[in-house]
Amino acid sequence: ELKVEQNPLFLSMQEGKNYTIYCNYSTTSDRLYWYRQDPGKSLESLFVLLSNGAVKQEGRLMASLDTKARLSTLHITAAVHDLSATYFCAVDVDSWGKLQFGAGTQVVVTP
Amino acid sequence: DTGVSQDPRHKITKRGQNVTFRCDPISEHNRLYWYRQTLGQGPEFLTYFQNEAQLEKSRLLSDRFSAERPKGSFSTLEIQRTEQGDSAMYLCASSLAGYDSPLHFGNGTRLTVT
């Protein structure tokens, strides 16, 4: 069974500093997703990563994928309060959208 | 694009009752998914459809759960004889059949079984 592990599970960030969230998975997959979830809200798609070495950036967020190491990272540059949320990585089990999610990383950004 | 719509937003029911949830996907999306999320956890896959065909059901889904997608448009998820362990957020998502198409999630239906 595919396992997806995120760490850390909780991240307290200071505004203006840089941080990284890690997502490890146990078997090969050709698609990895990052989602954001605000409290009481649904999931918002951030990135879809398709191939080894893929890097995508949107604003202060940058995601990368190393399929050989079975590792994806979500890098946050110069954290701001608006980035406070829970971030999930998810691995596509069968290339049809059957996703195995990590437990999520709760991010709190403080001044 | 009005997004994925789910109804109701909240449902409180007594143990043993049946409940049905509805999901309206983004209109041009041919794939539809149901996930379940409990507090503090990531969503868990339940089932998915390509058009009207149900392709897979998770082992998490007991025989009390059934999902349909008549005519490949909206979908319903029914839970019979609800149990307290069914309390969760039920999320619907849809996507285009494409290699780089993300799943678009609805706001979910929060079920509380008392």
Side-chain angles (χ1 to χ4, degrees):
Chain A
E1 181 184 324
L2 174 63
K3 292 189 188 301
V4 180
E5 293 184 350
Q6 282 183 242
N7 69 83
L9 297 182
F10 180 80
L11 193 47
S12 178
M13 297 185 181
Q14 282 189 316
E15 280 190 336
K17 293 194 174 179
N18 303 333
Y19 297 88
T20 301
I21 300 170
Y22 298 89
C23 175
N24 289 89
Y25 53 99
S26 60
T27 62
T28 57
S29 173
D30 58 0
R31 273 193 285 192
L32 188 139
Y33 301 78
W34 284 96
Y35 282 90
R36 167 184 172 144
Q37 187 174 39
D38 292 290
K41 300 288 181 66
S42 191
L43 290 96
E44 174 190 354
S45 176
L46 296 175
F47 301 108
V48 181
L49 301 170
L50 299 177
S51 61
N52 190 43
V55 177
K56 290 195 174 179
Q57 182 163 6
E58 181 73 35
R60 299 176 188 275
L61 302 179
M62 183 175 71
S64 65
L65 178 63
D66 182 343
T67 57
K68 293 179 182 177
R70 297 177 189 165
L71 171 69
S72 180
T73 60
L74 181 66
H75 188 73
I76 298 171
T77 301
V80 293
H81 179 70
D82 285 353
L83 292 179
S84 296
T86 299
Y87 293 84
F88 291 96
C89 67
V91 176
D92 198 325
V93 175
D94 62 359
S95 301
W96 281 74
K98 177 183 174 183
L99 303 186
Q100 181 75 34
F101 280 81
T105 298
Q106 185 182 357
V107 168
V108 177
V109 182
T110 55
Chain B
D1 178 358
T2 58
V4 177
S5 176
Q6 291 188 246
D7 185 70
R9 291 295 306 276
H10 303 274
K11 179 70 177 179
I12 300 173
T13 191
K14 292 186 178 180
R15 190 176 55 187
Q17 298 295 304
N18 299 343
V19 294
T20 300
F21 311 141
R22 178 181 170 120
C23 171
D24 288 273
I26 294 171
S27 57
E28 62 268 28
H29 287 183
N30 54 354
R31 290 187 184 166
L32 186 146
Y33 311 81
W34 286 98
Y35 283 78
R36 179 172 67 188
Q37 186 177 25
T38 53
L39 200 60
Q41 300 296 317
E44 297 173 299
F45 168 80
L46 295 179
T47 188
Y48 66 131
F49 295 83
Q50 168 93 354
N51 300 314
E52 66 274 13
Q54 187 173 19
L55 298 183
E56 186 175 341
K57 282 179 62 171
S58 166
R59 287 172 292 177
L60 292 174
L61 281 190
S62 73
D63 291 344
R64 296 184 297 105
F65 288 73
S66 63
E68 293 183 342
R69 192 183 182 198
K71 301 177 184 177
S73 56
F74 71 93
S75 175
T76 58
L77 178 67
E78 181 183 16
I79 308 174
Q80 296 182 326
R81 305 180 304 281
T82 52
E83 301 173 357
Q84 286 188 319
D86 297 331
S87 295
M89 176 75 85
Y90 289 83
L91 294 166
C92 178
S94 69
S95 75
L96 285 170
Y99 199 58
D100 62 349
S101 178
L103 276 64
H104 297 263
F105 284 85
N107 287 327
T109 293
R110 181 167 295 285
L111 173 66
T112 303
V113 182
T114 62

